[in-house]
Amino acid sequence: MQAEMGVNSLIFTITQRTTKVIDADRCTLYLVDNIQRGLFAMQGEVNIRISMEQGIAGYVASTGEVLNIPDAYDHPQFNQAIDKKSGYRTKAILCMPIKRDDMVVGVIQLINKMDGSGVFLQEDEDVMAIFLAIAGPILAESNLYSQIQGKSRTANKGGGKEMPTGIQREKSKGGNLGHVGEEDEEEEEDEEEEED
């Protein structure tokens, strides 16, 4: 994480390695827009923007609290519509804030513990807390995080909801950077077009 790999590569590495370390099925990392109170994630072919006022990730971003949910369908903030639409079954969720000092700069959401227990344990939270204590300051100092805050200022003036132009997708071999989960996302196509 301390290597000079660039923030896009860092986010890709975090989402890929975390699932192996914690034995989770899926992982999404959101960066927080503290100005417009939104969350941004790079998700496969599209960029995702959701409000901090909705869903489990929004709650964690707003409060800075950890949510370890053994059964997502029993949680009042879980939106079952995404599961019904995708056919994926979300069971357990571990959603944690990524902080620099006391400021939440991101949220990581892990879906479905793959071992026999089926739930995320306190030791999973402890491992992630160490991991995120390193990641938080790095993400907070990144140009991408600054762009998200800067784009929010621009969007406020112009009324738009643009994604930062510095965001570039990096596909895994499986083509999936994580799982958005239950949030009502707004998909925004990249402005980049492929050259012939």
Side-chain angles (χ1 to χ4, degrees), residues 1 5 8-18 131:
M1 283 170 57
M5 64 172 66
N8 293 332
S9 295
L10 175 62
I11 290 171
F12 178 82
T13 300
I14 290 171
T15 57
Q16 295 301 301
R17 297 275 174 90
T18 299
F131 192 54

Side-chain angles (χ1 to χ4, degrees), residues 7 18 30 32 47 65 67-68 72 75-76 82 112 139 160 179:
V7 71
T18 299
Y30 298 94
V32 174
N47 294 319
E65 296 176 22
L67 285 183
N68 188 340
H75 198 279
I82 302 299
N112 291 351
L139 291 173
H179 174 65

Side-chain angles (χ1 to χ4, degrees), residues 22-23 91 112-121:
I22 302 299
D23 198 21
K91 297 170 190 161
N112 291 351
K113 181 78 170 177
M114 298 303 289
D115 70 8
S117 72
V119 297
F120 294 100
L121 306 173

Side-chain angles (χ1 to χ4, degrees), residues 4-186:
E4 296 293 325
M5 64 172 66
V7 71
N8 293 332
S9 295
L10 175 62
I11 290 171
F12 178 82
T13 300
I14 290 171
T15 57
Q16 295 301 301
R17 297 275 174 90
T18 299
T19 55
K20 292 175 178 63
V21 170
I22 302 299
D23 198 21
D25 184 35
R26 300 184 180 192
C27 175
T28 302
L29 189 148
Y30 298 94
L31 290 178
V32 174
D33 170 355
N34 287 303
I35 296 167
Q36 284 198 331
R37 295 189 52 77
L39 301 175
F40 290 99
M42 292 177 285
Q43 186 72 26
E45 293 298 315
V46 295
N47 294 319
I48 306 299
R49 181 184 190 281
I50 63 172
S51 168
M52 282 172 63
E53 309 304 322
Q54 61 188 153
I56 290 167
Y59 177 84
V60 169
S62 299
T63 64
E65 296 176 22
V66 172
L67 285 183
N68 188 340
I69 303 167
D71 186 347
Y73 282 70
D74 286 341
H75 198 279
Q77 290 174 305
F78 179 72
N79 179 355
Q80 300 177 19
I82 302 299
D83 272 12
K84 289 174 182 169
K85 184 177 175 182
S86 69
Y88 184 82
R89 177 63 161 88
T90 301
K91 297 170 190 161
I93 297 174
L94 176 58
C95 195
M96 299 181 69
I98 305 171
K99 297 181 179 180
R100 180 182 64 182
D101 301 322
D102 289 330
M103 183 177 71
V104 177
V105 297
V107 171
I108 194 160
Q109 183 171 272
L110 298 155
I111 305 288
N112 291 351
K113 181 78 170 177
M114 298 303 289
D115 70 8
S117 72
V119 297
F120 294 100
L121 306 173
Q122 182 62 49
E123 67 185 51
D124 296 321
E125 291 184 39
D126 295 343
V127 168
M128 286 305 301
I130 294 166
F131 192 54
L132 298 178
I134 298 166
I138 296 170
L139 291 173
E141 293 299 318
S142 71
N143 287 335
L144 177 57
Y145 181 75
S146 297
Q147 283 183 348
I148 287 172
Q149 310 310 308
K151 280 288 182 183
S152 294
R153 288 184 201 99
T154 305
N156 264 344
K157 292 176 186 170
K161 293 188 295 186
E162 287 184 31
M163 285 294 291
T165 55
I167 292 181
Q168 305 212 348
R169 287 187 314 273
E170 293 186 47
K171 292 184 186 177
S172 66
K173 290 176 184 168
N176 183 16
L177 290 179
H179 174 65
V180 172
E182 75 338 308
E183 324 305 356
D184 289 326
E185 74 274 8
E186 297 175 18

